[in-house]
């Protein structure tokens, strides 16, 4: 993922701060994608130690393998706790060994305890010279205002999905179109969707449904799977994505089994199904009505 982030606007913007010597001593880096956050911070650590991010020099190799003595990552366990804050306080007074900067990366800081955040407060307020904190979080919600006011906020931007697609293609990885859509430009999320077997199975199911559902008897067969509680909302979203795509195809003049009017009506039906789902209505009933409705408008709007 590092190569992908190298081309991102967020990375380029952060590099400008480095180049113009405008770095602050503590950053709170946010995006809804925890893998992206973590990799971004790692990339910044690489960049601060090796301008070319060559990935082959001693510093790069050590950082990539998480064994660089001056680049320390936290939490040591699942979430950032008081003990982590204590080790940071101890480490703060140890001079960097290999480089001229000491970097503390704290991942998933939004999962830390209030006590741990309070314990860290003083360290990020007045760190020794040549120390930088790269703290990342998927949301600011559970982060103390006192921490927020003592750090520089840096929001990561999602990547262009075409760039993501090209990257995966070039790396010989097959990326599911729906994983790209649902990932919304967040690389870590996209990869997670792409590796999620039940998600991929649902994608195939929706694809089949659109191809094979031709009679009310088919509807009942498909509905028996569609209505299962597990992944119900996901199937609704995937169905919506599929019709988005159909609409785009129609707009670009491609032939389709659905007319534009039919798709508009289907969107209404999907929205209604979503509302009914949230209102805890019977899932069998929602699916039967929705799938029959799709079949109906398909033939009415011919
Ligand atoms: Zn290097």
């Amino acid at each position: 993922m590092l190569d992908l982030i190298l081309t991102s606007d967020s990375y380029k913007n952060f590099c400008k701060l480095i180049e113009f010597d405008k770095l602050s001593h503590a950053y709170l880096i946010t995006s809804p994608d925890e893998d992206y956050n973590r990799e971004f911070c790692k990339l910044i650590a690489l960049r601060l130690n090796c301008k070319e991010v060559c990935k082959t020099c001693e510093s790069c190799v050590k950082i990539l393998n998480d064994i660089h003595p001056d680049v320390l990552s936290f939490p040591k366990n699942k979430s950032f706790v008081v003990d982590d804050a204590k080790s940071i306080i101890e480490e703060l007074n140890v001079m960097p060994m290999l480089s001229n900067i000491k970097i503390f990366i704290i991942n998933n800081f939004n999962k830390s305890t209030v006590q741990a955040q309070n314990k860290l407060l003083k360290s990020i307020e007045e760190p020794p010279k040549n120390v930088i904190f790269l703290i990342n979080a998927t949301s600011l919600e559970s982060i103390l205002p006192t921490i927020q006011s003592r750090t520089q906020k840096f929001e990561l931007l999602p990547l262009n999905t075409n760039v993501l697609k090209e990257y995966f293609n070039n790396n010989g990885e097959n990326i599911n179109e729906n994983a790209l859509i649902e990932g919304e430009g967040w690389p870590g999320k996209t990869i997670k969707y792409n590796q999620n077997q039940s998600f991929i199975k649902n994608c195939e199911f929706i694809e089949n449904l659109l191809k094979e559902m031709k009679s009310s008897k088919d509807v009942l067969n498909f509905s028996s799977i569609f209505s299962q509680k597990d992944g119900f909302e996901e199937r609704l979203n995937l169905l919506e994505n599929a019709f988005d795509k159909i609409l785009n195809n129609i707009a670009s003049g491609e032939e389709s089994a659905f007319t534009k009017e039919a798709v508009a009506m289907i969107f209404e039906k999907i929205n209604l199904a979503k509302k009914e789902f949230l209102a805890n209505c019977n899932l069998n009933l929602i699916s039967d009505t929705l799938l029959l409705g799709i079949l109906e408008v398909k033939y009415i709007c011919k």
Side-chain angles (χ1 to χ4, degrees):
M1 200 194 295
L2 289 172
D3 291 328
L4 192 58
I5 304 174
L6 267 173
T7 64
S8 70
D9 288 338
S10 304
Y11 176 68
K12 286 176 194 156
N13 289 335
F14 205 97
C15 284
K16 278 184 201 148
L17 296 172
I18 301 174
E19 276 148 30
F20 293 112
D21 208 12
K22 288 226 166 81
L23 272 193
S24 159
H25 61 275
Y27 283 91
L28 187 52
I29 295 164
T30 56
S31 93
D33 184 341
E34 58 177 64
D35 297 327
Y36 184 28
N37 291 346
R38 192 189 54 241
E39 294 298 299
F40 186 86
C41 289
K42 198 173 210 175
L43 186 59
I44 297 303
L46 285 166
R47 171 65 180 78
L48 287 169
N49 277 282
C50 167
K51 194 166 184 240
E52 290 75 33
V53 191
C54 73
K55 292 189 212 152
T56 49
C57 70
E58 191 192 359
S59 310
C60 283
V61 170
K62 285 205 150 101
I63 294 170
L64 286 170
N65 290 301
D66 291 317
I67 50 166
H68 195 293
D70 308 323
V71 179
L72 303 170
S73 290
F74 295 89
K76 289 298 172 204
N77 288 310
K78 251 186 164 173
S79 58
F80 190 82
V81 291
V82 171
D83 277 346
D84 289 313
K86 280 183 184 163
S87 2
I88 288 178
I89 293 168
E90 275 170 31
E91 275 292 339
L92 272 177
N93 300 312
V94 181
M95 293 296 286
M97 283 186 254
L98 287 183
S99 86
N100 47 20
I101 187 167
K102 191 139 184 163
I103 304 170
F104 292 93
I105 297 177
I106 308 179
N107 296 313
N108 270 326
F109 194 61
N110 47 298
K111 288 185 185 156
S112 63
T113 60
V114 172
Q115 292 87 333
Q117 291 191 36
N118 272 321
K119 187 86 191 160
L120 184 72
L121 204 55
K122 207 164 174 332
S123 307
I124 58 169
E125 198 169 30
E126 302 161 346
K129 256 187 157 185
N130 296 333
V131 162
I132 181 166
F133 281 93
L134 301 173
I135 302 170
N136 63 67
T138 51
S139 93
L140 293 174
E141 224 167 272
S142 52
I143 294 176
L144 295 177
T146 41
I147 294 268
Q148 293 194 37
S149 64
R150 284 163 178 79
T151 47
Q152 202 71 40
K153 292 199 187 83
F154 190 87
E155 208 180 320
L156 300 186
L157 305 169
L159 307 175
N160 181 304
T161 47
N162 288 328
V163 172
L164 269 175
K165 194 175 172 179
E166 206 185 302
Y167 170 80
F168 288 115
N169 282 341
N170 291 343
N171 284 283
E173 255 181 87
N174 257 340
I175 193 98
N176 185 292
E177 197 73 26
N178 283 291
L180 265 184
I181 297 170
E182 291 293 310
E184 294 179 321
W186 300 110
K189 285 191 170 201
T190 306
I191 293 170
K192 274 184 185 153
Y193 275 116
N194 204 45
Q195 292 170 344
N196 179 336
Q197 289 306 316
S198 74
F199 175 80
I200 297 298
K201 232 171 130 184
N202 271 335
C203 293
E204 285 164 3
F205 170 76
I206 296 296
E207 209 174 290
N208 267 336
L209 181 150
L210 290 172
K211 251 190 261 163
E212 315 284 345
M213 194 175 74
K214 290 177 179 128
S215 69
S216 45
K217 198 177 148 229
D218 299 334
V219 167
L220 294 180
N221 286 335
F222 280 107
S223 184
S224 69
I225 298 174
F226 198 104
S227 62
Q228 283 166 13
K229 196 166 174 244
D230 218 30
F232 185 82
E233 201 177 10
E234 191 167 87
R235 284 188 287 282
L236 279 177
N237 287 332
L238 290 171
L239 195 62
E240 198 172 30
N241 291 350
F243 278 103
D244 265 328
K245 198 175 164 194
I246 290 173
L247 200 60
N248 282 336
N249 289 347
I250 298 172
S252 58
E254 268 177 58
E255 222 175 283
S256 166
F258 295 88
T259 62
K260 218 167 92 185
E261 293 71 28
V263 177
M265 283 160 84
I266 289 167
F267 279 139
E268 277 174 33
K269 290 178 194 294
I270 295 174
N271 275 332
L272 179 67
K274 283 185 173 180
K275 276 183 201 148
E276 287 171 341
F277 169 73
L278 291 176
N280 279 325
C281 294
N282 180 297
L283 297 184
N284 288 318
L285 204 62
I286 303 175
S287 332
D288 286 351
T289 315
L290 175 63
L291 299 188
L292 274 171
I294 290 174
L295 201 63
E296 224 171 63
V297 295
K298 181 177 172 183
Y299 293 120
I300 291 173
C301 300
K302 268 271 177 201

